[in-house]
Amino acid sequence: MLLPDIRKTCVISLSNQSKALVTGAAGFIGSNLVDALLANGKTVIGLDNMFNGHVENLDSALKSPKFELVKGDIRDMDMLLDIMKGVDVVYHEAAFTSVSQSVKTPQLCNDINVTGTLNVLNAARIRDVRRVVFASSSAVYGDSPVLPKTEEMPLKPISPYGVSKVAAEAYCIAYHQTYGLKTVALRYFNVFGPRQKDSPYSGVISIFISKILQGNSPTIYGDGTQSRDFIYVKDVVKANVLAAASEKAVGKAINVASGKPTTMNDLTRLMLKICKKEHLKILYEDKRPGDILHSYGDTMLARSALDFSPDYDVARGLEDLIKLTGKKSI
Ligand SMILES: NC(=O)c1ccc[n+]([C@@H]2O[C@H](COP(=O)([O-])OP(=O)(O)OC[C@H]3O[C@@H](n4cnc5c(N)ncnc54)[C@H](O)[C@@H]3O)[C@@H](O)[C@H]2O)c1
């Protein structure tokens, strides 16, 4: 599908309405957010440079007269100023998202995640945007063994990606303190759900589900006792919507987590059970260097500042995802 050239389109049809802008709209989380905002009756502009996005993720959104997709890059300040005219809330999801690639090209990661976010904040300030919700990451905590990860902990990122999220968060908070721009940074833990592509860089869940549904055994690196905090994408969307409205959240960085660790062994057994493939053997390979053993987030601040608690536990999220995968509607 051909996307409109930003300079020519510039959101003509959606002007003079209260609008949301979702950056990274064609990505995993961005596209789920776009669908939910449209379902709530909002008018939405989706921005994506298609670096890692897929226009099919927006198949349903593109049928809505309240949605416009713009192909553009958050490193392009003039374009941002153009599309933010009349925008009420910016949900900033666009990013260089691969931790391993960030080690290979730290400069590019910085340009997109730090300078790009700074552009988004500057344009939002100039265009009097009411709220900016920024997608940060639990990668800001690095490999600290302290559990659960609380927002007050010292941040010790270990990858260029983690550093870029710390810097971008700090800009969000400073823009609130210095210019009064209302920003909220959400530190997502391990998000899973429909449209997470099973590329080597994406979540383990979509990779395992594809394998299991094809009748292949999943392979765990290490002994499977390592744990993560998995949060379903529909809950991440809910946290974003709450963050756009809550006054208590302004100027803060807040964990978006389930608050519960799930081991790789438990997660894999659950997937085998839900897919009715319990006969498949789980394979084990050597642990990968640098893998963090355990991580889960504290959820107190999300509860007090956002009134957020997840609707989906891992099992319910997996059931929903596997049902959707089976229907091929993702
Ligand atoms: N998926 C997770 O588990 C997770 C965890 C923590 C944080 N996050 C953060 O959430 C956000 C969304 O992640 P995702 O998993 O949906 O990733 P994704 O890669 O599916 O989506 C990111 C989107 O941003 C777009 N993009 C990249 N560079 C851009 C640029 N310069 N200009 C415009 N668009 C650009 C990509 O094309 C892609 O569609 C990211 O900021 C990511 O760092 C995700």
Side-chain angles (χ1 to χ4, degrees):
M1 176 186 182
L2 282 177
L3 293 175
D5 174 14
I6 172 59
R7 302 262 174 235
K8 291 180 198 131
T9 56
C10 279
V11 205
I12 317 138
S13 54
L14 301 183
S15 55
N16 303 324
Q17 292 179 41
S18 157
K19 297 178 288 220
L21 168 65
V22 178
T23 71
F28 160 47
I29 299 171
S31 64
N32 279 284
L33 183 55
V34 166
D35 285 349
L37 293 171
L38 290 170
N40 286 342
K42 304 277 186 248
T43 298
V44 183
I45 304 162
L47 171 70
D48 206 296
N49 69 348
M50 298 296 159
F51 178 71
N52 198 32
H54 303 269
V55 76
E56 315 86 79
N57 288 345
L58 295 167
D59 274 352
S60 146
L62 284 163
K63 291 183 189 125
S64 167
K66 291 190 158 191
F67 179 69
E68 181 151 0
L69 175 61
V70 173
K71 187 178 176 198
D73 196 299
I74 55 167
R75 289 167 291 179
D76 179 349
M77 185 63 187
D78 291 342
M79 177 277 297
L80 286 174
L81 281 171
D82 234 343
I83 65 167
M84 268 193 224
K85 282 178 194 154
V87 163
D88 183 41
V89 180
V90 175
Y91 298 93
H92 178 33
E93 302 296 320
F96 184 107
T97 51
S98 165
V99 175
S100 57
Q101 284 297 319
S102 80
V103 175
K104 293 179 187 146
T105 57
Q107 185 72 55
L108 178 62
C109 176
N110 189 83
D111 287 349
I112 296 172
N113 291 3
V114 184
T115 310
T117 300
L118 190 55
N119 285 343
V120 169
L121 293 170
N122 273 326
R125 183 166 76 91
I126 292 166
R127 291 294 176 225
D128 271 332
V129 167
R130 182 179 60 79
R131 186 70 57 99
V132 177
V133 183
F134 167 64
S136 186
S137 165
S138 60
V140 297
Y141 297 117
D143 59 359
S144 155
V146 178
L147 291 170
K149 312 290 184 199
T150 62
E151 289 85 348
E152 302 79 39
M153 280 174 61
L155 303 180
K156 292 185 177 166
I158 51 171
S159 63
Y161 170 79
V163 172
S164 74
K165 289 292 181 182
V166 172
E169 262 191 10
Y171 270 127
C172 288
I173 293 164
Y175 263 59
H176 171 56
Q177 284 166 352
T178 310
Y179 305 111
L181 180 68
K182 293 189 174 181
T183 57
V184 184
L186 298 178
R187 292 178 182 162
Y188 306 159
F189 277 64
N190 293 70
V191 188
F192 70 103
R195 302 188 187 135
Q196 190 167 33
K197 299 290 175 218
D198 51 353
S199 78
Y201 311 117
S202 72
V204 66
I205 291 182
S206 35
I207 298 172
F208 275 22
I209 289 179
S210 296
K211 279 202 156 189
I212 292 169
L213 288 176
Q214 287 162 21
N216 298 319
S217 287
T219 304
I220 293 178
Y221 295 100
D223 63 5
T225 57
Q226 68 270 41
S227 64
R228 293 288 180 276
D229 186 326
F230 294 101
I231 179 106
Y232 197 48
V233 71
K234 291 183 182 172
D235 281 320
V236 172
V237 165
K238 178 171 112 168
N240 270 275
V241 172
L242 290 169
S246 162
E247 282 307 313
K248 282 189 277 180
V250 171
K252 294 193 169 68
I254 303 169
N255 289 342
V256 175
S258 74
K260 294 185 191 90
T262 302
T263 67
M264 282 306 301
N265 283 329
D266 286 346
L267 179 79
T268 311
R269 283 190 211 111
L270 257 176
M271 285 188 265
L272 289 169
K273 187 168 171 225
I274 298 168
C275 293
K276 300 191 175 51
K277 301 269 187 188
E278 280 158 299
H279 59 278
L280 290 177
K281 205 170 167 268
I282 303 176
L283 306 175
Y284 292 89
E285 276 186 19
D286 286 348
K287 146 181 193 308
R288 286 183 301 197
D291 266 0
I292 305 168
L293 264 188
H294 302 289
S295 167
Y296 71 97
D298 184 271
T299 56
M300 295 269 282
L301 185 60
R303 250 177 280 152
S304 63
L306 292 177
D307 200 16
F308 170 79
S309 57
D311 293 330
Y312 291 79
D313 61 13
V314 176
R316 188 168 169 232
L318 284 175
E319 276 165 19
D320 195 58
L321 172 61
I322 290 165
K323 198 171 71 195
L324 291 170
T325 310
K327 281 187 193 159
K328 293 209 178 354
S329 57
I330 60 173

